[in-house]
Amino acid sequence: MSNNYNVENVEKVINYKFNNFSLLKMAMTHSSYANDQRMNKNNCNERLEFLGDAVLELISSEFLYGKYPDNDEGELTKIRASLVSEEPLAAVAKKINLPEYILMGKGEEATGGRERNSITSDAVEALLGAIYLDGGIEPAREFALKYILTDIDEKKIFHDSKTVLQEIVQKYKLGELKYEIVNESGPDHDKLYEAACVVDNKVVGSGTGKTKKSAQQKAAFMAIKKLKKH
């Protein structure tokens, strides 16, 4: 059973105490919950997500500008995308158990909303926006550095895993590369796909995801890790 009403637990998880607790509750309020409760639409987390997105762009850009002094704008943009796009942010949400505390409408809950990357990644950005409004740029930066701007090399590979794998296969002449969806499960509104990455008619990686693309991306990433060992 979800503890989604114990929003204050988020403070313990991220080790940040809000001066204005209503900002935290708003950050954890999905629009479906606001609709169910007939709340003002601006009391959900969409405005905070908008702000948090901008704050994260600034913090991550500043961080990467200093960390990679020899990289040009295009390279920095690509690295930033690998850190702050939907999937890595959803992974951050999962790491700190954030989905458990999102206030969500019954319909959204019933259709798997708590596992939906678009919802959980938005919650991370909304939380960052709330921290920024509550305490300013420094605690927001501390949160981003601790939870988002980490494991950069691995996230870079994961974000572009299909391209990276294609380059490896071509460079070492490993044979034909293709992807196969080997299994589908779950209802239509909450499908889970399993993809296999096949090189020279041999399965070298597999992965699951809510979309065929994400399943293939994970399969490619696992294939890269396996091939690098050899």
Side-chain angles (χ1 to χ4, degrees), residues 161 164-170 172 174 177 197-199 202-205 219-230:
S161 56
V164 172
L165 180 60
Q166 182 69 49
E167 290 171 352
I168 292 172
V169 169
Q170 289 177 344
Y172 295 101
L174 299 180
L177 167 63
C197 177
V198 180
V199 177
K202 297 174 185 175
V203 175
V204 292
F221 181 69
M222 297 308 296
I224 292 167
K225 293 180 75 171
K226 182 177 180 179
L227 291 173
K228 281 193 169 186
K229 290 182 180 178
H230 301 285

Side-chain angles (χ1 to χ4, degrees), residues 155-223:
K155 287 177 180 176
K156 282 164 57 182
I157 293 174
F158 181 80
H159 181 72
D160 211 17
S161 56
K162 293 179 75 172
T163 301
V164 172
L165 180 60
Q166 182 69 49
E167 290 171 352
I168 292 172
V169 169
Q170 289 177 344
K171 180 177 180 179
Y172 295 101
K173 297 180 174 60
L174 299 180
E176 182 188 7
L177 167 63
K178 60 183 179 180
Y179 297 91
E180 298 174 354
I181 301 298
V182 296
N183 191 38
E184 297 181 20
S185 59
D188 288 341
H189 67 263
D190 193 26
K191 283 279 190 185
L192 185 67
Y193 297 93
E194 181 181 356
C197 177
V198 180
V199 177
D200 195 28
N201 294 318
K202 297 174 185 175
V203 175
V204 292
S206 61
T208 58
K210 294 292 186 180
T211 65
K212 292 178 181 179
K213 182 179 178 180
S214 65
Q216 291 172 351
Q217 183 182 23
K218 290 176 183 176
F221 181 69
M222 297 308 296

Side-chain angles (χ1 to χ4, degrees), residues 92-111:
V92 170
K94 189 173 183 179
K95 183 178 180 180
I96 61 178
N97 297 321
L98 204 60
E100 182 177 351
Y101 303 109
I102 298 174
L103 300 169
M104 191 174 294
K106 292 180 180 179
E108 193 67 58
E109 176 97 52
T111 56

